[in-house]
Amino acid sequence: MVNHVPLTAETDPGHGGRWTSLAGAGREWLWHRPGPARHTVRPGDAFVDAGGLEECVPTVRGHPDHGDAWSRRWRRWGGAEAVESPDFVLHRNIDHHAGAVRARYRLSAHPGYRLVWAAHALLDLSVDARLHAPAGTHTRVFPEAANLIDEPWPDNTPHLTGPWPAPLGLPLDRFGPADGTAVGAILTDCSDVRVTDGPDTLRLTLHCDADVPLSVALWRNLGGYPAAAPYRSIGVEPMLGAVFDLAEAGPDDAAVVPAAGELRWELEITATRTAPHESTP
């Protein structure tokens, strides 16, 4: 029997708006690591990885690293939160409806403003966890995977594409134990994925009425990053856009603020748990 698991979410607006908890039925889905420097960061500082879920906007990689929201104080009133940068204002409203966590976003900027946004969720997963997406989904793999794929990496190529779940011969749907690798990938034209780990399933679904690219980014760090003190971390990241670095975005690889000056989208997260099989007498 599959049972619906009500989820709750908590955030820390004073320190970058990071989601600090996504939990249900005794399970915390978000992975964390010590990051005391997070409490003193300022815009322009190097990224401090404390885990949880980061709001990465207007880029993930590139400049500023992990975007321009994580290093700023968010304002909170009622159930809404907002962060302001020189180029945009991002509003976020997280509510709990019928057991689901629903985050509604509204970004205000000049019409034509280009951006990439990712719900950079680092998940606390076992070595047996799997990521489920439609077979054949076009999946972009990035240069850190050059030594892991079936073919030579062409010079000056920002990414290569292959079908999910094993683009270019690299199986990415299973996470496994630390093996010294770190790979980033983006499942393009994909807005609904599931993560299974034992009896538990987490589903992440992205909605946007505007004509923007919807994707899911994967960061499979199995002890390959950072070089000085590597650790294992798994990111499953619904996103607007189809590249990690806004500077590498082609004409169709980024979201664009429409003429009204506002872009709206919604992320819904649900969970289920499969009950143990009960044998009959």
Side-chain angles (χ1 to χ4, degrees), residues 142-151 153 170:
F142 291 78
E144 62 268 18
N147 295 329
L148 304 174
I149 63 174
D150 289 342
E151 59 190 70
W153 194 278
L170 177 61

Side-chain angles (χ1 to χ4, degrees), residues 10-231:
E10 298 177 6
T11 64
D12 184 359
H15 301 96
R18 183 171 64 99
W19 298 40
T20 55
S21 179
L22 178 65
R27 173 164 189 159
E28 174 57 62
W29 281 97
L30 296 182
W31 172 87
H32 299 86
R33 66 186 297 270
R38 185 61 180 263
H39 294 278
T40 59
V41 296
R42 298 290 185 271
D45 287 354
F47 180 65
V48 178
D49 186 7
L53 186 157
E54 305 281 4
E55 304 285 359
C56 294
V57 62
T59 191
V60 182
R61 298 180 181 177
H63 181 76
D65 187 19
H66 286 71
D68 200 27
W70 74 269
S71 60
R72 297 179 183 273
R73 178 178 293 275
W74 291 52
R75 295 177 286 116
R76 173 183 281 173
W77 64 96
E81 300 165 321
V83 62
E84 184 173 357
S85 88
D87 297 319
F88 64 85
V89 178
L90 176 63
H91 298 262
R92 177 181 69 191
N93 188 299
I94 299 175
D95 62 26
H96 303 85
H97 177 73
V101 169
R102 182 176 56 185
R104 289 172 291 172
Y105 296 90
R106 174 168 56 91
L107 185 138
S108 302
H110 290 300
Y113 180 70
R114 286 166 54 85
L115 66 122
V116 170
W117 163 87
H120 186 282
L122 295 178
L123 302 181
D124 189 1
L125 301 174
S126 77
V127 297
D128 297 318
R130 294 187 64 184
L131 177 61
H132 302 268
T137 295
H138 291 177
T139 303
R140 292 179 169 180
V141 178
F142 291 78
E144 62 268 18
N147 295 329
L148 304 174
I149 63 174
D150 289 342
E151 59 190 70
W153 194 278
D155 292 339
N156 302 316
T157 302
H159 52 76
L160 298 176
T161 302
W164 181 264
L168 309 170
L170 177 61
L172 291 177
D173 58 329
R174 298 180 182 272
F175 301 124
D179 62 7
T181 66
V183 175
I186 296 179
L187 290 75
T188 62
D189 195 22
C190 180
S191 59
D192 190 348
V193 295
R194 293 177 296 115
V195 178
T196 57
D197 193 8
D200 294 320
T201 296
L202 190 73
R203 183 177 182 181
L204 303 101
T205 307
L206 188 60
H207 307 275
C208 185
D209 291 336
D211 184 16
V212 301
L214 304 181
S215 306
V216 175
L218 169 65
W219 172 240
R220 196 183 71 172
N221 174 25
L222 303 180
Y225 175 89
Y231 48 82

